[in-house]
Structure formats: structure tokens, C-alpha cells
Amino acid sequence: MKDNQAKYPQLRFKGFTDPWEQRKLGKMGYTFTGLSGKTKEDFGHGNAKFVTYMNVFSSPVSNSEMVENVEVDSKQHQVEYGDVFFTTSSETPQEVGMSSVWLETAENIYLNSFCFGYHPMVEFDPYYLAFMLRSPVIRKKFMLLAQGISRYNISKNKVMEMLVPVPEIVEQQKIGSFFKQLDDTITLHQRKLAKLKELKQGYLQKLFPKNGSKFPQLRFAGFADAWEQRKLGAITDSFSGGTPTAGKAEYYGGEIPFIRSGEISSDSTELFITDAGLNNSSAKMVGIGDILYALYGATSGETSISRINGAINQAILAIRPTKGDDPYMIVQWLKKQKETIISTYLQGGQGNLSGSIVKDLLITLPKNKDEQAKVGSFFKQLDQTITLHQRKLEKLQELKKGYLKRCFADS
């Protein structure tokens, strides 16, 4: 494909109709290397800083605070405003060549040794450059350049041969500003979500008694009695499910949602089974409001209130209170105790939990069911708020993905 070949993006701002050029990166700037000739004794102190690998990997625009100390060295290349950093290797081809633009003017800032830098010699809007290099059309090109088996690498010479879309600077500024505002909105929602989760963790510590105590630090007005400790199995009934025989077409594709351990918090499932699949297996039906507890694999110890009427497999334990205890409060206690349960019963975080282990757990709850309902309702509302913010964040992230696909011309 010839350099400067004209292309048009799918989506444009009003007033822009000119074709976009496709130009080689190497014709518009030069590369430089990261830190070299250093030993571990040179790091962790000194009046200079270097941009870390994870800083480059994690964001289209580098974080000026994700830097670490190193000794000042006049032989090293200092990064400048508008420089682009590229990671040179990764464990997967999908993550190789991740880029980040530096937008600071401080002195004595270097680049880590596992990345290389690129200094543009033509006018680029830095935010356009940042998001264009992270767009699907460019990321696909980096994946094609990835070489390796267990670890993937890219050649900076090959990267410099890459064609990228270059509109006029005014259109670049429009696009860059749009994605910057979108990213700022996403960051704001991420911070709100993180604060809500932190707030919840604080309430979990204060609204439940600490180990050995019968009184929580924080209580709703009107409640003063000591809480009591009981075995979870003494106040609930529980059962696990099973999986219909794989490969039997008559067991799958029906109308019964089939809940797996990674879906206990979801309102939908990937798989559905038939009545025949349910009746000819150990799968068991659960209803909206049942407590679901993950026993196996990476999700061990996760718990949630079911949002689905469906069937569960053997990796899930369904729990139903039998003495009028509040299910939301039981769920929150299980969430609070997750790390303790995992560290107690799973060696090194490996292996599986069992129904008998969960039934023998000693749970501390108020005797007063009204207090249970107050605490359970409080956490239910807090969880709903967290879920709402999580969904808003996911929608914004999906929106950004869609715009990244449509706002940059393919080559």
C-alpha cells in the first residue's frame, strides 16, 4: 500500500470532508531507547524519574505520578512533551506494542528499559495521537507485528513502517478533545465506583461485630442486644446442582437459564438447558432471592442473591434461610468473611470448597429480625447503587470502543 493513500473514517464531525492521508510513522518522527546500562542499585533513589512499563501499558495518556526514582544520568534520553512510548513485549499478541503519550514538561524524566520512545517531528494533536494509536485499526496492526511463542515482541523498525491515519490538525483537535472528555468522564465514574466500594468495605467492618465480639461498632437506632453466633447449616437449607451430559443436543438450547459460578451475580446466562437436561441430570432449580455461593475455581467464596429463576451446576451451593433470617444480611456476612474462608479452607487459594464446609461456618447475626432486616436492606440499597454505577461505567467503556472503531480511518 502506498504512503499518503487517502482514506475516510466512518464517522466525522460536521464540516470535515477532506480525505485522510495514510503516512508512515517513521516519516514523521524518530525513535529513542529507554534506560540502558543500569543496575538494580541505580533505582529507588535519586533526583530523576522514569516512566514505568505499567504506566505505558495501562493508559493512552501517561500518568505523571506513575514514575519511580532513578539517579540523574546525562547519558540517558530525557522524554519530552508529546513523546509516544511503546511497550516492546508482552505475554500475548493482543497486548504487545501498547502506546502512551507523555504530556508533561518536567526535566530529568526517562523511559523504562522495556519500552521504546517515539518523538513526532510533524504537528500532531497529542490526544488524537494517543487515542488513534489505541484504536482497533492500529491495534490490529500491532498484533500482526507480534513475534514469539511464549512471549511476544515487536521490532521498532517494523513499527516505524506502519501506516497511520493523519487528518488535518483542526480535525485532529476535534477528535482528540472528544476522546479526552470521554476518558475524563470514564475516569470520574471509575473514581465514584471505587469510593462506593471503599465505603461499603468500611460499613462491612463497622456494621458487623469484629471477631470475638457480640456487638458491632455501628448500629441502627433502637437496637442494643448482643448478637448471637450460630452454624450456617442450623438456620438454612442448602443444595448444589449438576451439569447435563455434554454433547447431548436434546439437553441444551431450551428455555431454562443454566447458571454457572461466574454468573451468580448476573441477570442472564450464556447457556440454557431443556426440561430433559434438567430431569436427566443433578442440576437443581433456584429462584430469584435464593443465596448462591460459588464453591469451585477462580470464583470460590463469591456469593450473591440470585436474580434468575434457573438451574445451577455442581459448582454452586444454593442457600435458603429457614428461621426467618434475612438473606441479604447472610450474603453480606459471607462477603465480609470471604478472605478468611478462603485462607482457612483452600491451601494457597487452590482447590474447592464444599457444602459441608459452608454449613459448618459460624455466622454472627442479631437475634432481632428487625435489626437484620435494617442491615440487610442498607447493604441491598448500597449494592444496587454500586451496580448502577458499574453499569454506567460499562456503557461508557462500550461507547468509547464503538467510537474508536468508527472515528479512525482504516488503511
Side-chain angles (χ1 to χ4, degrees):
M1 184 172 292
K2 294 182 179 180
D3 204 0
N4 298 327
Q5 184 175 354
K7 290 287 180 177
Y8 298 86
Q10 294 180 29
L11 188 64
R12 302 182 82 168
F13 287 94
K14 287 184 179 179
F16 298 101
T17 57
D18 292 340
W20 289 17
E21 288 185 320
Q22 299 289 322
R23 302 182 64 183
K24 289 183 178 181
L25 282 172
K27 295 289 184 67
M28 299 182 290
Y30 62 85
T31 62
F32 58 88
T33 59
L35 287 167
S36 61
K38 294 294 179 184
T39 65
K40 62 181 180 180
E41 286 76 20
D42 295 315
F43 297 96
H45 53 82
N47 295 322
K49 306 279 187 182
F50 71 92
V51 182
T52 66
Y53 178 96
M54 283 307 300
N55 192 350
V56 178
F57 181 86
S58 59
S59 176
V61 178
S62 301
N63 183 344
S64 61
E65 296 181 359
M66 282 183 70
V67 292
E68 295 181 7
N69 289 89
V70 68
E71 292 289 346
V72 174
D73 185 348
S74 60
K75 296 179 182 178
Q76 305 299 326
H77 183 98
Q78 292 191 38
V79 303
E80 300 178 29
Y81 180 95
D83 282 348
V84 185
F85 311 137
F86 295 96
T87 61
T88 55
S89 67
S90 182
E91 293 181 355
T92 67
Q94 289 81 12
E95 295 181 341
V96 75
M98 299 299 284
S99 58
S100 189
V101 176
W102 182 253
L103 298 180
E104 300 295 324
T105 56
E107 295 183 350
N108 294 321
I109 307 292
Y110 312 130
L111 179 61
N112 72 83
S113 58
F114 300 101
C115 296
F116 73 88
Y118 172 76
H119 183 80
M121 295 295 288
V122 301
E123 185 179 18
F124 266 113
D125 177 79
Y127 288 102
Y128 170 83
L129 190 58
F131 293 106
M132 177 268 288
L133 290 171
R134 289 272 185 144
S135 66
V137 62
I138 300 301
R139 289 301 311 147
K140 188 184 299 182
K141 293 183 178 185
F142 274 101
M143 284 187 275
L144 293 174
L145 291 181
Q147 295 181 333
I149 300 175
S150 60
R151 190 161 187 88
Y152 294 84
N153 302 282
I154 55 167
S155 161
K156 65 181 178 182
N157 292 331
K158 292 286 183 67
V159 173
M160 289 302 101
E161 290 293 312
M162 186 183 294
L163 289 168
V164 298
V166 185
E168 295 296 327
I169 189 64
V170 177
E171 189 170 7
Q172 288 187 35
Q173 290 166 347
K174 283 275 190 182
I175 296 169
S177 176
F178 171 77
F179 279 105
K180 179 184 182 299
Q181 291 179 41
L182 186 54
D183 248 21
D184 288 345
T185 304
I186 289 172
T187 299
L188 181 64
H189 278 76
Q190 287 172 331
R191 288 173 180 168
K192 285 182 178 179
L193 184 61
K195 285 183 178 179
L196 280 169
K197 289 181 176 179
E198 185 180 349
L199 183 69
K200 181 184 175 181
Q201 288 304 312
Y203 278 122
L204 282 172
Q205 298 305 315
K206 291 182 177 181
L207 285 170
F208 284 89
K210 293 183 178 179
N211 291 338
S213 174
K214 295 182 179 180
F215 299 90
Q217 183 180 345
L218 185 65
R219 302 184 82 163
F220 288 95
F223 302 103
D225 293 339
W227 289 23
E228 61 180 2
Q229 194 175 65
R230 291 169 287 174
K231 281 190 175 183
L232 188 58
I235 61 171
T236 63
D237 285 334
S238 59
F239 57 90
S240 58
T243 301
T245 303
K248 284 210 169 187
E250 63 268 30
Y251 291 172
Y252 290 90
E255 297 183 353
I256 302 171
F258 187 57
I259 307 168
R260 293 173 292 179
S261 57
E263 299 169 325
I264 60 174
S265 300
S266 178
D267 57 5
S268 62
T269 61
E270 183 179 349
L271 295 179
F272 290 79
I273 62 174
T274 62
D275 288 333
L278 177 67
N279 296 329
N280 289 280
S281 72
S282 298
K284 299 288 192 303
M285 291 296 295
V286 296
I288 294 171
D290 282 339
I291 299 169
L292 303 183
Y293 191 86
L295 298 173
Y296 298 173
T299 58
S300 291
E302 294 287 340
T303 186
S304 182
I305 298 289
S306 180
R307 299 164 62 189
I308 302 172
N309 293 315
I312 58 171
N313 66 11
Q314 65 275 13
I316 299 173
L317 185 72
I319 303 171
R320 291 172 177 167
T322 58
K323 308 292 184 182
D325 295 286
D326 187 82
Y328 287 95
M329 186 156 193
I330 293 173
V331 161
Q332 297 306 326
W333 181 86
L334 287 169
K335 287 178 181 290
K336 178 179 179 292
Q337 295 297 114
K338 178 187 172 183
E339 295 306 320
T340 300
I341 295 168
I342 295 298
S343 62
T344 301
Y345 297 102
L346 300 184
Q347 296 297 320
Q350 300 298 314
N352 301 319
L353 296 169
S354 68
S356 60
I357 288 173
V358 178
K359 291 176 188 178
D360 282 341
L361 293 174
L362 291 172
I363 181 170
T364 306
L365 295 172
K367 295 179 183 178
N368 191 314
K369 299 298 192 288
D370 289 337
E371 185 175 8
Q372 286 193 29
K374 284 272 189 183
V375 177
S377 177
F378 172 81
F379 279 110
K380 179 182 178 182
Q381 291 179 41
L382 187 54
D383 275 350
Q384 288 173 341
T385 303
I386 289 172
T387 299
L388 180 63
H389 279 272
Q390 183 72 53
R391 286 177 176 171
K392 285 182 179 179
L393 177 60
E394 289 169 356
K395 285 182 179 179
L396 283 168
Q397 290 169 331
E398 286 300 314
L399 187 68
K400 179 183 172 182
K401 286 181 182 178
Y403 280 125
L404 282 171
K405 286 182 180 179
R406 300 176 66 197
C407 285
F408 295 97
D410 197 350
S411 55

